[in-house]
Amino acid sequence: MTHPSPLSLAQFNESAEDSARAVMLNVCRCGDWADAMVAGRPYGDVHQILHAARTHWRGDEAQLLEACSGHAKIGDTRAIAKGGHSAREQGQVASASDQLLAELAALNGEYQKKFGFIYLVCASGRSPDTLLALLKSRLTNSRSQEIINAAAEQAAITRLRLTQLFL
């Protein structure tokens, strides 16, 4: 999905329910989370919406798997080239060597096969080498630990996206 232009909280609070839901699904592609965020309107300030985002993100397996459907794989240069969230959040990956990108792709596949969902990490501001090292270290975890890790990373991504959206 592409990133909408920043809006004010007043615009979000006053928007039609389906429009507000689309905005929230662009932040985190999890239906029950988005519905709860829309139902919680109006928000008085960014701190309130960030608090609501934390409250409504259970980070359980069902929410996590649904949210993963809204993410490109780390190192997916085609997704980065399209712009939107991937370009902003994984921008440093675009400059990675072909060898590093190939290793990211291979380990992404291994991760997804082992855990049943994509490697999810808040990539913003992290170098390709750091993202690769994190991926390697997380491959040694149990699935239950990775659900916890990925859910925490999704929460960080959501916080970043909400902050950028509601300037």
Side-chain angles (χ1 to χ4, degrees), residues 10 14-15 30 36 62 67 74-75 77-78 87-88 90 101 111 119 156 166:
E14 295 167 7
S15 64
C30 179
I74 297 296
T77 55
R78 287 176 293 168
R88 274 189 315 287
Q90 295 190 50
L101 289 172
Y111 183 98
Y119 164 55
F166 297 114

Side-chain angles (χ1 to χ4, degrees), residues 24-162:
M24 289 296 101
L25 286 172
N26 194 41
V27 170
C28 175
R29 196 170 303 163
C30 179
D32 67 345
W33 178 86
D35 292 341
M37 292 298 293
V38 171
R41 295 179 303 166
Y43 298 102
D45 59 31
V46 173
H47 297 292
Q48 285 182 357
I49 200 165
L50 291 174
H51 176 74
R54 283 189 306 274
T55 300
H56 299 305
W57 178 249
R58 295 184 312 274
D60 60 25
E61 185 173 350
Q63 275 193 330
L64 175 63
L65 294 177
E66 188 178 358
C68 281
S69 72
H71 290 280
K73 290 181 179 178
I74 297 296
D76 181 347
T77 55
R78 287 176 293 168
I80 294 168
K82 288 181 184 177
H85 292 305
S86 293
R88 274 189 315 287
E89 296 166 0
Q90 295 190 50
Q92 292 185 37
V93 175
S95 65
S97 69
D98 289 343
Q99 180 181 351
L100 195 143
L101 289 172
E103 192 171 0
L104 271 174
L107 292 177
N108 266 314
E110 186 178 324
Y111 183 98
Q112 190 163 7
K113 184 177 179 182
K114 180 176 180 178
F115 299 118
F117 53 92
I118 67 167
Y119 164 55
L120 193 58
V121 62
C122 187
S124 187
R126 291 180 166 165
S127 73
D129 291 322
T130 299
L131 294 170
L132 180 61
L134 286 168
L135 175 53
K136 286 178 179 179
S137 71
R138 286 177 53 186
L139 273 166
T140 65
N141 292 333
S142 67
R143 187 171 192 279
S144 59
Q145 182 58 52
E146 272 312 291
I147 289 171
I148 293 167
N149 291 341
E153 294 292 335
Q154 177 60 54
I157 293 164
T158 298
R159 189 171 43 257
L160 176 68
R161 289 178 179 180
L162 285 170

